[in-house]
Amino acid sequence: MAESSVAPDKVLKDLKEGKYAPVYFLQGEEPYFIDLISGYIENNCLPESERGFNQTILYGKDTNVSTILQNARKYPMFSERQVVMIKEAQDVSDLTKDSTEKFLMAYLENPLPTTILVFCHKYKKLDARKKITKHLMKHAVFVESSKIYDNKLPDWINNYVREKNYKIDPKAVILLSESIGVDLSRMANEIDKLLINVKDSSVMITEDLIEKYVGVSKEYNVFELQKAISIRDIIKANKIVNHFDSNPKANPIVMVLSSLFSYYLKILAIHAATDKSEASLAKVVGVHPFFVKEYINSSKINDINKCISCVRAIREADKMVKGYTVVNVSDGFILKELVFKLLH
């Protein structure tokens, strides 16, 4: 096996075709693909009647390399294979220790063919310089589950919906991506919930359907707030802020501040760019080309000094939320004060 990572889609394709490998190592900051692959193995590799005897689930903080290998070397009972899955493998205390890695490397070189050993190593990566990492990349199906960038999210949404045999309007894609963000697990759950309610695959997924079934307002969301502030639409901006204040659980201020902070950093990046073509700016800002015109228009209204002052105001608001500068002030009051500063 080549010393490189394998794309999650390729792994899932092989699994659905019944092609299983002796060892899988799934690692990275994005848990979605790790859960997707491990979940497929857990639910499809063995018939339900065989899982009680031949499927072992271990948790990182409660196990070690010795226990993992003991289970991996067992033979299945009344079945052609067994599954040994280590969830939260990043918590296995001796996974990369010199004293134990030689035993794991020995197993990787000669794995039991009747065992499917799966490591779910979430939110972090192994040190690429260590021998065990190189061994895993060479002898296991090694998957890097990296965080998806903002500019790739619309394509991911389109592909996900398309795979379900539905179609989605570009504006609906924008609403989903801006409102939910790059939490792929939550995004997939929300889209699945939406499609269950829509049922008819000939129906185009629109902003109205997202507002109805996902609970994201097409008028009162962070994306619309950004646009209103950028074009100095005082009435609309205040309407949105008042809506946020009356629905704090659906619109937590921490998420709003994070989105606004990211928004102004992107406008600053446009000001700093030497190549002002739309294609180049989309890459610089890290957004899908469909979005970039809005950021360009905003950069014409908000000069560098204005953007810098806005970033400072957002940082001050963040300190207030965390109680560093004031106490006993509501999130709604902080947000209203911030939006006033951003508008004026």
Side-chain angles (χ1 to χ4, degrees), residues 253-285:
I253 191 169
V254 173
M255 299 298 292
V256 176
L257 294 180
S258 176
S259 295
L260 289 172
F261 186 76
S262 175
Y263 182 76
Y264 281 103
L265 289 184
K266 288 172 181 174
I267 298 173
L268 281 169
I270 287 177
H271 282 299
T274 52
D275 185 347
K276 300 294 186 180
S277 67
E278 288 188 10
S280 177
L281 290 176
K283 292 179 181 178
V284 168
V285 176

Side-chain angles (χ1 to χ4, degrees), residues 49-323:
S49 59
E50 296 181 10
R51 293 173 198 165
F53 293 106
N54 296 304
Q55 188 155 279
T56 302
I57 307 295
L58 303 172
Y59 289 86
K61 63 181 180 180
D62 301 321
T63 193
N64 54 37
V65 170
S66 176
T67 302
I68 293 168
L69 294 181
Q70 286 175 19
N71 280 278
R73 289 193 174 105
K74 290 179 182 177
Y75 286 92
M77 295 179 62
F78 314 113
S79 176
E80 65 180 66
R81 63 168 73 100
Q82 69 155 344
V83 173
V84 178
M85 186 171 293
I86 301 88
K87 296 189 176 182
E88 300 168 12
Q90 70 275 8
D91 294 329
V92 178
S93 59
D94 60 348
L95 184 63
T96 60
K97 286 187 176 179
D98 294 339
S99 58
T100 53
E101 70 175 6
K102 61 183 178 182
F103 301 111
L104 182 52
M105 288 192 294
Y107 180 83
L108 292 170
E109 292 172 6
N110 189 28
L112 198 67
T114 53
T115 293
I116 297 174
L117 178 60
V118 185
F119 292 89
C120 304
H121 193 276
K122 290 184 177 180
Y123 310 117
K124 57 175 69 174
K125 298 179 181 180
L126 295 178
D127 187 339
R129 298 167 296 181
K130 291 190 73 69
K131 290 181 181 178
I132 185 60
T133 308
K134 294 176 181 177
H135 239 63
L136 282 163
M137 294 185 76
K138 183 176 181 180
H139 297 287
V141 173
F142 193 89
V143 176
E144 289 269 13
S145 185
S146 301
K147 279 281 187 185
I148 189 170
Y149 291 105
D150 289 344
N151 63 321
K152 299 294 183 184
L153 185 57
D155 287 338
W156 187 91
I157 294 171
N158 270 312
N159 290 334
Y160 189 88
V161 172
R162 192 182 302 117
E163 286 174 2
K164 303 284 185 178
N165 296 317
Y166 284 78
K167 294 178 181 179
I168 184 167
D169 183 81
K171 290 183 179 179
V173 173
I174 294 173
L175 182 57
L176 278 174
S177 60
E178 289 292 334
S179 301
I180 296 176
V182 291
D183 183 341
L184 297 187
S185 297
R186 183 185 167 206
M187 182 69 77
N189 288 336
E190 294 293 352
I191 293 174
D192 288 343
K193 180 174 70 175
L194 168 68
L195 299 184
I196 287 171
N197 282 285
V198 173
K199 296 178 183 177
D200 185 355
S201 61
S202 66
V203 174
M204 173 74 74
I205 305 303
T206 62
E207 292 176 292
D208 290 331
L209 290 174
I210 290 170
E211 184 171 27
K212 182 177 181 180
Y213 294 117
V214 179
V216 175
S217 172
K218 65 179 180 180
E219 292 185 38
Y220 300 107
N221 57 71
V222 178
F223 182 63
E224 291 299 319
L225 177 61
Q226 289 170 177
K227 287 201 296 185
I229 292 171
S230 70
I231 63 174
R232 307 287 196 274
D233 189 337
I234 297 173
I235 294 175
K236 184 172 183 179
N238 283 314
K239 281 184 178 179
I240 295 172
V241 170
N242 287 330
H243 176 80
F244 285 2
D245 188 25
S246 62
N247 298 275
K249 289 185 178 179
N251 306 279
I253 191 169
V254 173
M255 299 298 292
V256 176
L257 294 180
S258 176
S259 295
L260 289 172
F261 186 76
S262 175
Y263 182 76
Y264 281 103
L265 289 184
K266 288 172 181 174
I267 298 173
L268 281 169
I270 287 177
H271 282 299
T274 52
D275 185 347
K276 300 294 186 180
S277 67
E278 288 188 10
S280 177
L281 290 176
K283 292 179 181 178
V284 168
V285 176
V287 299
H288 192 274
F290 191 88
F291 297 92
V292 77
K293 283 185 180 179
E294 193 246 311
Y295 289 93
I296 294 171
N297 291 336
S298 183
S299 71
K300 295 174 182 177
I301 299 171
N302 298 275
D303 62 23
I304 292 177
N305 291 331
K306 174 61 178 176
C307 290
I308 291 172
S309 67
C310 288
V311 167
R312 286 174 180 160
I314 295 166
R315 283 178 170 168
E316 286 301 314
D318 184 57
K319 289 179 182 178
M320 291 174 69
V321 170
K322 294 171 180 174

Side-chain angles (χ1 to χ4, degrees), residues 317-335:
D318 184 57
K319 289 179 182 178
M320 291 174 69
V321 170
K322 294 171 180 174
Y324 294 151
T325 55
V326 293
V327 292
N328 298 325
V329 177
S330 71
D331 289 351
F333 176 84
I334 295 171
L335 188 57

